[in-house]
Amino acid sequence: MTRVTSAQKIAAARAEGRPALIGYLPAGFPDVPTSIEAAVALAENGVDIIEIGIPYSDPVMDGEVIQAATVQALANGFRVADVFDIVAGITARTDAAVMVMTYWNPVLRMGVDEFSRRFAQAGGSGLITPDLVPEEAGEWLEASEKYDLERVFLIAPSSTPERVQRTVDVSSGFIYCVSLMGVTGARASVSSAAQAVVDAAHAAGAENACVGLGVSRREHVEEIGAYADGVIVGTALVAALRDGGVQAVGALAAELSGAAAHSDKELA
Amino acid sequence: MSTPDHSADTGSIDEQSLRHASGPYFGAYGGRWMPESLMAAMDELNETFEAAKNDPEFIAQVKDLNKNYSGRPSLLTEAKRFSAQYCDGVRIFLKREDLNHTGSHKINNVLGQALLAKRMGKTRIIAETGAGQHGVASATAAALMGLECVVYMGAEDTRRQALNVARMRLLGATVIPVTVGSQTLKDAINEALRDWVANVENTHYLLGTAAGGAPFPAMVRYFHEVIGEEAREQILEQTGRLPNAVTACIGGGSNAIGIFHGFLDDKDVALYGFEAGGDGVDTDRHAATITLGRPGVLHGAKSYLMQDEDGQTIESHSISAGLDYPGVGPEHAFLADIGRVTYEPVTDTEAMDAFKALCRTEGILPAIESSHALAGTIRLAKKLVAEGAVPEETIIIVNLSGRGDKDVGTAAAWFDMIEPGAADAEITGTDAQKAQEK
Ligand SMILES: Cc1ncc(COP(=O)(O)O)c(C=O)c1O
């Protein structure tokens, strides 16, 4: 199996003169089969990279909407190993790059090597690790080399230049630029701090810097796309799935990616 | 009681001092397993703390507050009737942290960290609380130093510790009941961390126990080391010798690490930490993290953790809100692995029996948290005597970490002492009802 990487998808988007669109959904929300369908709907509506979050008991970087979704997934019996089936289910049906966003303890518990091996086997391209900093990532650096996985670490408006450099140096695929000081959740406007974080990542040598947190609308995608290599949308998609099911997720993805506008024009 | 099988390489503890371990790692434990967004604040805190520790002015400020505000040194009281009736005559000394201002050891850490917050120019402190003791102490320090204070408390705990909620509000703090997750201490910490990420510019997170990412474990211990230092001096003064053992209860582990610290390098002094065994460690309702947990990361540190096969945190259970936490500070995980400290569980029932025993023999009403240390001490004393120790030549110091006024409702219900029709909010909380159902 040839795995599609986030770096490939970002390069392809760049060649088309647009930022890559990255869409987040929690694994197993509302249940495992639906979470696969919803991710496929993302890919069919212009999302380049799919980010599947592993529901975790103590998600300190998540706001209410994602917390509620992951609580429900766990209540419905989600098990960490289900994420491999979900990843395999998506990669079998789309050409999107599939990443997993996970707090670190579930990976530690399974064993970093074991998790990485199974994840790579399922066709995943890499991990986004919101509570793992490079200082503690020794085991992950090793496993990601061994299984050829992308390592997406985060940088924030509060990151010092030294920390940005250190983080960029160990990242691969892209670097996740947190747009604001806060947790996940849709916001009316994109924080003005975002561009400075992206600039810092580029200055430190990052090829791909993508912006997440607070992004929920097409106009945000366009605004961020002017300076970043990719745009990450989470809460808005989770809320759409919660309220309108798979169809609503597809519709929102189409709107975010601009595909909706295109097809409107074609119809007109 | 069995010692857990923690296979780790056990470097000889004879060779080097265990005191003042600075972190960020304690053996394989500790570190900073937390979001990048908080790293700058953790660095700033670490630098501020390291500078303050070496600043005579800061040291003098802490000393002055400890003496003239908290009432330190706290007494070391020999519990003679408790010893005779419950401990087979082994001499028991109580380190009276219950006599500190606000009623527990928590004030030591809070005053120190509030001073650091001021040094960093922060105007707002946030804290988590379980029993409410740390919240009350934080609200107290905030009032004293003119800081804004927000306390996160699990909704379940706001009900079982209603008196402390009122106390915090009277002191000017905002108490936010946390309704997500299990609605107890671990979720209060999650919410506090979310607040901190969003407000780190002007806010210091005043963590209440010796857990969390570095520098919290070593820093919180530093402010509690005074407990062990005083106790060591006092026992030498009163008896002319060191104790055979020192005991403490373990929630996150701050009162324990504080008193242990004074004796870590006294190889002949045995150290015992008593965890909350809840309904028993053969049930799934307990908080015996070291006894039954396994290494993992939670709230910023690698340590023992109650978790399921998927690495999801398991909810803990204890009659004591202050011990009802599924994690434990990383230095304790290390001390367990190297065998320097023995950790054992104590059930709700054993703790409540010890609670009553101390009330009746010494006229001291202990916190239910501290009652776990008392119960473990009773067991230890009997064991030592059974093994041939001469009771009057055997000395145990118990860290009496807090007073039990906050627990009167729970205890009265447990012992079926509530007047029919009593309407006092203090003794009609959820926990009181729960205890009564037993
Ligand atoms: C009186 C008392 N003792 C002990 C504890 C447990 O905390 P730690 O293990 O950090 O000392 C608490 C916590 O609320 C407490 O109030």
Side-chain angles (χ1 to χ4, degrees):
Chain A
M1 183 186 351
T2 52
R3 269 189 289 151
V4 182
T5 66
S6 71
Q8 287 165 345
K9 298 300 283 190
I10 294 169
R14 182 180 293 124
E16 294 173 15
R18 62 178 181 86
L21 182 60
I22 301 163
Y24 166 95
L25 289 172
F29 174 71
D31 52 49
V32 168
T34 311
S35 65
I36 297 174
E37 293 306 321
V40 170
L42 291 182
E44 286 171 349
N45 288 282
V47 170
D48 303 288
I49 299 165
I50 291 164
E51 178 188 346
I52 296 295
I54 296 185
Y56 174 54
S57 53
D58 297 275
V60 295
M61 280 297 282
D62 285 308
E64 283 169 30
V65 172
I66 293 179
Q67 278 181 48
T70 56
V71 164
Q72 192 184 327
L74 289 170
N76 289 350
F78 172 83
R79 297 295 309 265
V80 168
D82 293 338
V83 81
F84 306 125
D85 297 336
I86 293 170
V87 169
I90 301 166
T91 53
R93 289 169 58 189
T94 75
D95 69 348
V98 182
M99 311 207 63
V100 157
M101 198 252 14
T102 181
Y103 292 94
W104 203 239
N105 199 53
V107 178
L108 270 184
R109 184 67 178 85
M110 181 176 290
V112 179
D113 188 271
E114 168 78 357
F115 186 98
S116 302
R117 186 183 63 73
R118 293 174 69 178
F119 175 63
Q121 207 168 40
S125 75
L127 297 183
I128 300 169
T129 51
D131 64 352
L132 186 69
V133 291
E135 291 91 320
E136 309 292 359
E139 258 190 293
W140 166 228
L141 298 188
E142 228 172 85
S144 53
E145 288 301 322
K146 184 168 163 192
Y147 299 105
D148 197 19
L149 294 170
E150 293 177 320
R151 295 185 289 265
V152 176
F153 290 96
L154 285 70
I155 56 172
S158 60
S159 300
T160 58
E162 297 74 37
R163 292 201 60 84
V164 170
Q165 188 66 57
R166 182 200 293 222
T167 309
V168 165
D169 287 347
V170 297
S171 294
S172 57
F174 62 93
I175 189 136
Y176 192 127
C177 300
V178 172
S179 68
L180 50 81
M181 294 302 289
V183 296
T184 57
R187 282 144 179 111
S189 63
V190 176
S191 161
S192 57
Q195 184 165 1
V197 182
V198 170
D199 289 347
H202 284 150
E207 193 176 346
N208 300 325
C210 303
V211 172
L213 254 59
V215 185
S216 60
R217 300 182 190 156
R218 175 64 194 167
E219 68 214 56
H220 299 158
V221 175
E222 286 171 0
E223 183 190 333
I224 295 167
Y227 55 82
D229 307 289
V231 184
I232 305 162
V233 182
T235 296
L237 291 167
V238 178
L241 179 56
R242 178 196 64 199
D243 298 336
V246 171
Q247 208 183 350
V249 171
L252 178 57
E255 186 190 318
L256 290 165
S257 67
H262 283 299
S263 54
D264 285 352
K265 261 180 235 155
E266 276 159 28
L267 286 176
Chain B
M1 201 53 61
S2 67
T3 310
D5 177 24
H6 296 143
S7 43
D9 85 292
T10 48
S12 166
I13 59 167
D14 298 344
E15 288 154 23
Q16 72 205 53
S17 172
L18 290 169
R19 303 187 74 212
H20 306 296
S22 64
Y25 300 101
F26 305 90
Y29 305 103
R32 273 189 195 169
W33 305 80
M34 55 203 306
E36 169 65 26
S37 295
L38 292 173
M39 286 298 136
M42 299 294 276
D43 280 338
E44 180 191 22
L45 178 59
N46 191 47
E47 280 159 30
T48 305
F49 169 57
E50 288 299 324
K53 260 196 319 192
N54 296 307
D55 178 352
E57 194 189 324
F58 180 80
I59 294 167
Q61 266 178 319
V62 172
K63 267 205 178 125
D64 176 60
L65 284 170
N66 279 347
K67 177 160 185 266
N68 298 312
Y69 189 72
S70 303
R72 302 206 73 91
S74 65
L75 300 178
L76 186 73
T77 305
E78 181 160 15
K80 290 186 179 154
R81 276 169 40 80
F82 180 72
S83 149
Q85 288 189 34
Y86 291 96
C87 300
D88 288 355
V90 168
R91 295 181 73 185
I92 306 295
F93 290 77
L94 308 174
K95 181 58 178 162
R96 302 290 305 279
E97 292 299 295
D98 61 313
L99 296 177
N100 297 338
H101 179 45
T102 72
S104 81
H105 69 291
K106 298 281 181 189
I107 194 77
N108 304 328
N109 166 51
V110 159
L111 292 173
Q113 281 199 52
L115 283 175
L116 291 178
K118 298 229 21 148
R119 281 195 155 218
M120 291 185 286
K122 311 266 174 170
T123 55
R124 178 175 179 266
I125 57 171
I126 55 174
E128 82 294 341
T129 198
Q133 289 304 97
H134 175 57
V136 167
S138 297
T140 299
L144 177 68
M145 299 189 201
L147 296 161
E148 184 190 344
C149 178
V150 174
V151 179
Y152 290 91
M153 187 168 187
E156 158 108 17
D157 291 335
T158 60
R159 287 187 290 270
R160 54 179 170 178
Q161 304 284 343
L163 187 68
N164 269 343
V165 173
R167 206 172 269 160
M168 287 181 264
R169 290 188 171 139
L170 287 170
L171 289 161
T174 304
V175 179
I176 303 184
V178 175
T179 53
V180 298
S182 60
Q183 312 196 4
T184 58
L185 183 56
K186 104 182 157 66
D187 304 282
I189 295 177
N190 291 342
E191 276 299 281
L193 284 168
R194 292 182 188 115
D195 178 316
W196 202 27
V197 170
N199 299 295
V200 68
E201 197 67 35
N202 72 348
T203 298
H204 173 61
Y205 180 12
L206 211 165
L207 184 66
T209 191
F216 280 107
M219 181 177 72
V220 173
R221 184 202 62 221
Y222 172 84
F223 292 124
H224 285 304
E225 285 172 6
V226 64
I227 307 173
E229 281 160 11
E230 287 175 7
R232 193 173 187 282
E233 220 168 89
Q234 289 165 321
I235 199 74
L236 287 173
E237 198 181 285
Q238 291 183 31
T239 70
R241 47 161 290 204
L242 288 172
N244 298 75
V246 176
T247 67
C249 66
I250 309 279
S254 68
N255 86 86
I257 202 71
I259 195 162
F260 290 167
H261 190 265
F263 302 92
L264 273 176
D265 287 346
D266 296 316
K267 278 182 301 239
D268 296 332
V269 179
L271 304 175
Y272 286 85
F274 295 106
E275 303 191 298
D279 291 349
V281 293
D282 50 351
T283 74
D284 58 5
R285 292 177 55 83
H286 61 79
T289 308
I290 298 181
T291 308
L292 288 178
R294 45 179 297 154
V297 296
L298 178 68
H299 297 146
K302 184 182 269 192
S303 187
Y304 281 96
L305 177 62
M306 288 173 54
Q307 55 179 319
D308 69 13
E309 284 171 21
D310 275 1
Q312 310 285 359
T313 309
I314 294 174
E315 283 171 30
S316 54
H317 290 278
S318 170
I319 190 168
S320 139
L323 305 185
D324 200 349
Y325 181 58
V328 65
E331 194 166 3
H332 287 291
F334 171 65
L335 293 171
D337 278 8
I338 65 172
R340 178 63 187 96
V341 180
T342 304
Y343 297 85
E344 295 177 357
V346 163
T347 63
D348 287 354
T349 303
E350 289 176 286
M352 294 313 291
D353 288 348
F355 176 100
K356 193 171 176 183
L358 196 75
C359 288
R360 298 291 167 91
T361 55
E362 301 292 336
I364 295 171
L365 212 150
I368 297 178
E369 288 79 17
S370 320
S371 301
H372 285 69
L374 292 165
T377 300
I378 292 172
R379 201 160 67 197
L380 174 64
K382 290 188 165 151
K383 182 176 143 234
L384 292 176
V385 172
E387 287 170 359
V390 180
E392 57 275 20
E393 288 171 13
T394 306
I395 295 173
I396 302 176
I397 300 179
V398 187
N399 199 15
L400 200 72
S401 57
R403 67 177 185 226
D405 303 45
K406 69 183 175 59
D407 298 316
V408 164
T410 304
W414 179 275
F415 295 115
D416 219 359
M417 292 173 179
I418 297 181
E419 272 305 299
D424 190 337
E426 200 183 325
I427 54 171
T428 53
T430 309
D431 212 42
Q433 281 154 16
K434 242 201 242 164
Q436 208 166 25
E437 280 158 19
K438 294 210 165 211

